[in-house]
Structures are given as structure tokens and as C-alpha cells.
Amino acid sequence: MTAGILSAGSLMRAHGNRQIIDARTRHEYEAGHIPGAVWMGWEEWCNPAPAPQGSILHEAGYWGVLREAPEVWFSERLSACGVNLQAPLVVYSGGPRSRGREGRIAWMLLYLGAQDVALLDGGWPAWLEEAGRVDVAPAAPAVEGSVVTFQPHRRRSVSQISAGWRAGTTPLFVDTRSPEEFAGHMQEYLPRRGRFPGAGLVSFLSLFDCSGCYVDRDTYLRLLPMGMVGSDKVVAYCEVGVRAAVFSLLHEIYTGAIMPLCDGSLVEWAVQSRLPLQSGIPYQPSQLTAP
């Protein structure tokens, strides 16, 4: 089971040999997409938020915990979307402005047992520049039920992390939000703000170059917090487990090591008052990243 990066040119040449998944919003997909692409929105695959009726956490995009359901539920949903986990897949969104939607879908597919999942480098803008071919007709080819096999090593739930916390064992957390979010200065809708204690920072936007493509391997390695390279105890998180999914997959692609994603991320952590949060400390790049 592998993750990779595919350029728009390579996808154009291999068109028909890979199943294409559009992870942008439904509105963006319907306005125009890569020919043959099916649509998957990450919000459609999450648990309902355990919050009072009327809470903003019930709105799409505010709760990121992956659905707790049996494998057959996911298999039926994938078939309805027209996705076959046993086929080579490529997932795209709108580049950095999509805030990791492609990474979250790609991570989920790998967690469900997909064999070969690639991220489209540069996303939709790169496709338009390279190929320019656009379709507006929805594509949902009928497929046989995918064989879903959960890959638990790709995921760390908040309950697993908190149990480890009580037992005195915690991973090295890497936060992929912005420096302002990391310091606890944003996301006013949360009852508590800040970051996982001891977390390092690799901001989501730092994973892209000026053209909107993913940074290369050498640049990526320079972004990593000290002590992280070679560690098998690293967990990625962000606000709702979307931006961090891109980081998790780039880490796997560039180092060969699978980095688990905390899909509940900061939002699920923050609503549980017994779990510790660190905040109020100014962001100091020299303390958090390797030189």
C-alpha cells in the first residue's frame, strides 16, 4: 500500500489507467472537473459531533473524526461513489487554497486499504495549465464492492492518545496549522484554544512552493522539528485532521515512514476539558524547527 505524487503531465499521459478523485467542494466539482473524475468530500465520511444541538461543531467541516462504522459500511459507500480501492487512484483538490482536502481523502483511502494512492501535484490549477480539458458531467461509474481492510497504524484517535497520556507515554506531536493558531490566537469558536503539549510546528502552507506544488524532499526535510527524523512516535494533527493529512502523506512519500494522523485533531481534543492544552507562549521558529 503506497502513497505517491503524480504530476499533471503524467496524469494526462496515463489518463484512463488511474481512477481520478476530485476532493474539492461539490460546487467546485460541478462547475468543472478533470474528465472521468468522481467526487468525494471528506465531510461526508465523519462522525456526527457530540455537541449540543445548534453548536457550530455540527456544521460541515467543523468535526473531523472519521466515521466509526464497520468495513462493510465503507465498502458500500465507496461503491456508491464509484471508487475501487484495488485500482490505482489519484486524488486532487484546488492546491493550497483547498486546505488539505486531497490529503484527507487520500489518507482515508489508504486507511481503508487502498493499494496505490497518488496526490496530484499542483491540483486543479496544474491540470488546467497542463491539459486544459474540463468536464462538467458527473462521473460515477458502477464498481464492484471494494474490499475494505482497516489499517489502524495510519490513525491515532484522541482516546488512544489520552490513554497513553494517562499511562505516561506520549508521541511527538506535529501541528500543521498556522503560527497564529498554534499560539492559540484563532478559532474563537472553541471553548479552549492552543496546541497539544510539547507540539512542534510545520505549517501547512510551508508544504507548498510558490507555484502551488508540493515542496521537494530536501525542502521538506528542512522543515521537520528537531528529533523527528527517524522517530516512529510522531503523530500529525491540525484543526480537524485535514491539513495534517497532507503532511502525513508527504512524510511517507519522502521518508518511507508512515506517520499516523489524529483525525479528531485539536477540535476533539479541546472540547474535552480534562485533556491538557498549551497556549500563550509566543511562536519561536528557532525553537521548533531544525536549522
Side-chain angles (χ1 to χ4, degrees):
M1 299 176 184
T2 60
I5 296 173
L6 193 68
S7 70
S10 296
L11 178 59
M12 185 171 62
R13 291 187 292 274
H15 201 272
N17 296 324
R18 277 188 176 269
Q19 185 169 25
I20 306 170
I21 299 169
D22 189 321
R24 297 175 299 158
T25 66
R26 169 76 79 171
H27 174 75
E28 289 174 310
Y29 173 79
E30 292 175 347
H33 52 264
I34 296 176
V38 299
W39 179 77
M40 291 181 71
W42 73 268
E43 302 94 336
E44 306 287 320
W45 301 80
C46 295
N47 273 339
Q53 192 66 28
S55 168
I56 194 173
L57 297 184
H58 288 292
E59 296 182 15
Y62 282 90
W63 191 257
V65 181
L66 187 64
R67 183 75 173 238
E68 296 294 341
E71 292 171 343
V72 65
W73 183 89
F74 286 99
S75 178
E76 291 171 352
R77 288 287 303 272
L78 288 167
S79 295
C81 290
V83 174
N84 180 5
L85 292 182
Q86 282 66 57
L89 307 171
V90 58
V91 187
Y92 74 93
S93 66
R97 68 180 184 83
S98 287
R99 293 169 61 86
R101 296 181 67 92
E102 79 281 15
R104 175 59 184 246
I105 288 293
W107 167 81
M108 183 186 76
L109 294 171
L110 287 164
Y111 172 74
L112 297 178
Q115 301 298 306
D116 180 359
V117 182
L119 300 173
L120 180 60
D121 203 10
W124 177 243
W127 173 263
L128 290 177
E129 182 177 349
E130 182 71 31
R133 289 187 288 157
V134 177
D135 200 351
V136 295
V143 299
E144 296 294 329
S146 289
V147 177
V148 171
T149 306
F150 295 144
Q151 305 297 310
H153 59 291
R154 291 187 174 276
R155 184 186 185 197
R156 289 293 181 276
S157 67
V158 164
S159 61
Q160 288 174 321
I161 295 170
S162 61
W165 190 277
R166 291 192 297 272
T169 60
T170 57
L172 170 61
F173 298 114
V174 178
D175 190 319
T176 62
R177 298 173 299 156
S178 68
E180 293 78 13
E181 292 170 286
F182 182 82
H185 297 156
M186 296 180 66
Q187 291 151 344
E188 290 82 359
Y189 69 91
L190 287 173
R192 299 187 300 147
R193 288 175 282 167
R195 59 186 177 273
F196 287 18
L201 176 68
V202 178
S203 66
F204 173 71
L205 290 180
S206 71
L207 302 175
F208 298 84
D209 64 21
C210 59
S211 70
C213 292
Y214 303 115
V215 296
D216 61 28
R217 182 178 184 274
D218 289 343
T219 302
Y220 170 80
L221 293 176
R222 289 195 294 269
L223 295 172
L224 299 183
M226 290 179 288
M228 181 178 160
V229 179
S231 174
D232 61 355
K233 303 183 186 305
V234 183
V235 172
Y237 79 95
C238 56
E239 182 183 8
V240 290
V242 177
R243 285 174 284 178
V246 171
F247 175 58
S248 173
L249 294 185
L250 286 183
H251 189 77
E252 179 176 347
I253 293 165
Y254 288 148
T255 72
I258 292 175
M259 180 190 298
L261 172 72
C262 179
D263 49 309
S265 280
L266 192 280
V267 173
E268 186 185 12
W269 186 277
V271 298
Q272 301 184 44
S273 59
R274 72 182 187 279
L275 298 178
L277 272 177
Q278 187 176 359
S279 63
I281 300 175
Y283 167 51
Q284 299 290 340
S286 62
Q287 295 178 12
L288 296 173
T289 58

